[in-house]
Amino acid sequence: QVQLVESGGGVVHPGGSLRLSCVVSGSTDGFYNIAWFRQVPGKEREGVSSISTSDGDTWYADSVKGRFTISRDESVNTVYLHTNALTPDDTAVYYCAKGPDLGYSEYFHPTADRMEYWGKGTRVTVSS
């Protein structure tokens, strides 16, 4: 079993920043991806970014490239999503999720149906 706990959401003005955190615990041996998704009511959960625990390879959705940065601190089993230049379109509940075990440096594109474990989410609201 794997547990993921998100934090760091809040209310910010347009142009603001937030650092979201995802603490991963439990059976986490091996290589896998940790991904951030977001969801607004009435829409499907959208992949935002992911990071590989093997080679650190990262992926970003086009909508956040250049504004969001994903990083990982192995010493505290935490994955961060640094969000900058936020706009009202970034308003959503943000979830982190663990993908399946992979080979070293194996490519993995995160989609919601492929993730095995999910956190409960943290809400980000961008409003003036």
Side-chain angles (χ1 to χ4, degrees), residues 1-3 25-28 117:
Q1 285 289 330
V2 175
Q3 295 79 41
S25 62
S27 301
T28 57
Y117 297 94

Side-chain angles (χ1 to χ4, degrees), residues 102-125:
L102 303 170
Y104 183 82
S105 197
E106 180 178 347
Y107 176 77
F108 176 80
H109 180 70
T111 57
D113 61 337
R114 299 183 70 190
M115 308 309 285
E116 295 185 330
Y117 297 94
W118 292 87
K120 294 185 177 180
T122 185
R123 183 176 299 275
V124 172
T125 302

